[in-house]
Amino acid sequence: MTLQENKIGFLGAGKMASAIIKGLLKYGISPDNICAGEKYPPSAETARKEFGIYVTDDNSEIVRRSDILIIAVKPKDIEEALSTAGDTKGKLFISIAAGVTIDSLEKLVGDGGRVIRVMPNICATVLQSATGISRGKNATAEDAALALEIFSAIGIAMEIQENLLDAVTGLSGSGPAYVFQMIEAMADGGVYSGLDRASALKLAAQTVIGAATMVIESGQHPGELKDMVCSPGGTTIEGVAVLEEKAVRAAFIDAVIAGTEKSKQLGKKS
């Protein structure tokens, strides 16, 4: 079946679930083909009003209604959510819970359960997520294709091995925070140099958008693009020299590695 022909259910209707639902609706999925199980009344009411989908606090009803189930509850709540899911046979389960392994999910879903583990990021809320997906031993190539299609509706998505999801967490999962800090710091530099705060923030943010778009659309190495901006003896190479002196590149590398290692530690505890 195509994605449009599948019924998609959400276990949880919080911020990330709402972002995915928003992306699916924009992609052309009918609200009639989406439903959600949510026990927190304000979140349930928001999903009903904002998206026009069916919402209930009965997870087993969501499972009965759906072909694809997206597990969007907090990691600590997964066991409870799946224990109340009823008959899970024949369903595809896609989990966005950080640190919960495919092996753990397959045990909770039951024998023969088709499971895909996904790591999106907060930019899903503006449909610009960078998402890694990994399939379990029972998930098919068609299942993976459906997951990729779902998460491509909220940005870009790629299939990777599960043992690399910690690296995805350290890079694109945590990465928006690093970029937010960079934008804030660039804007601070602009304010120091005389720009008003609002203008400095807008210029810094748009500069990041533009640079990122050039990397993706040109296919050129970031180093090549950097060299295009650095005129001999100019302002840009002067700034680049300061960044190298301050070891900014090394700091970014270390931040991604630290996030990756922390993700591994949390995974061992789950």
Side-chain angles (χ1 to χ4, degrees):
M1 288 194 297
T2 65
L3 184 60
Q4 284 76 7
E5 295 171 311
N6 278 277
K7 302 289 187 180
I8 304 171
F10 288 78
L11 301 181
K15 183 180 292 186
M16 192 61 75
S18 295
I20 300 167
I21 293 168
K22 179 181 176 182
L24 289 172
L25 293 174
K26 188 173 182 180
Y27 186 66
I29 305 299
S30 169
D32 294 335
N33 284 355
I34 302 174
C35 59
E38 176 56 62
K39 292 185 176 181
Y40 184 55
S43 295
E45 188 61 22
T46 297
R48 287 190 193 98
K49 288 183 177 179
E50 186 172 349
F51 305 122
I53 64 172
Y54 178 76
V55 184
T56 177
D57 61 1
D58 184 351
N59 283 337
S60 64
E61 183 180 356
I62 297 302
V63 173
R64 285 196 304 272
R65 284 172 167 261
S66 306
D67 304 300
I68 300 171
L69 281 305
I70 297 178
I71 305 170
V73 296
K74 294 177 180 178
K76 66 180 180 63
D77 296 326
I78 283 185
E79 188 169 354
E80 180 187 351
L82 291 177
S83 70
T84 59
D87 186 4
T88 60
K89 290 181 181 178
K91 311 291 184 177
L92 171 61
F93 285 85
I94 300 174
S95 170
I96 63 171
V100 182
T101 65
I102 289 173
D103 183 60
S104 297
L105 292 164
E106 287 176 339
K107 288 176 181 175
L108 290 170
V109 169
D111 290 341
R114 292 153 54 218
V115 168
I116 290 179
R117 181 182 168 194
V118 177
M119 183 65 220
N121 69 17
I122 191 64
C123 300
T125 57
V126 291
L127 307 185
Q128 292 293 337
S129 179
T131 303
I133 79 159
S134 298
R135 62 174 118 162
K137 61 179 181 292
N138 300 313
T140 66
E142 182 182 1
D143 293 335
L146 287 170
L148 286 170
E149 190 172 358
I150 288 169
F151 287 89
S152 292
I154 58 167
I156 66 165
M158 60 187 70
E159 185 174 4
I160 63 167
Q161 296 177 357
E162 187 184 18
N163 64 349
L164 295 176
L165 278 185
D166 292 314
V168 173
T169 301
L171 175 57
S172 57
S174 302
Y178 312 153
V179 177
F180 295 148
Q181 281 189 294
M182 182 178 70
I183 290 170
E184 182 184 27
M186 289 172 64
D188 284 346
V191 171
Y192 182 89
S193 301
L195 293 169
D196 65 90
R197 173 63 62 182
S199 297
L201 277 172
K202 189 173 289 188
L203 287 167
Q206 181 59 42
T207 298
V208 172
I209 292 172
T213 302
M214 286 186 71
V215 170
I216 292 171
E217 293 189 359
S218 73
Q220 291 178 264
H221 190 281
E224 291 182 81
L225 296 172
K226 178 260 297 178
D227 288 348
M228 289 168 54
V229 191
C230 293
S231 302
T235 59
T236 306
I237 194 63
E238 187 82 12
V240 167
V242 172
L243 294 176
E244 293 294 346
E245 180 184 351
K246 302 293 185 182
V248 170
R249 287 204 301 172
F252 273 107
I253 292 169
D254 288 346
V256 172
I257 293 171
T260 300
E261 293 305 312
K262 184 66 173 182
S263 180
K264 289 178 181 178
Q265 293 170 22
L266 293 174
K268 290 177 182 177
K269 296 177 182 178
S270 67

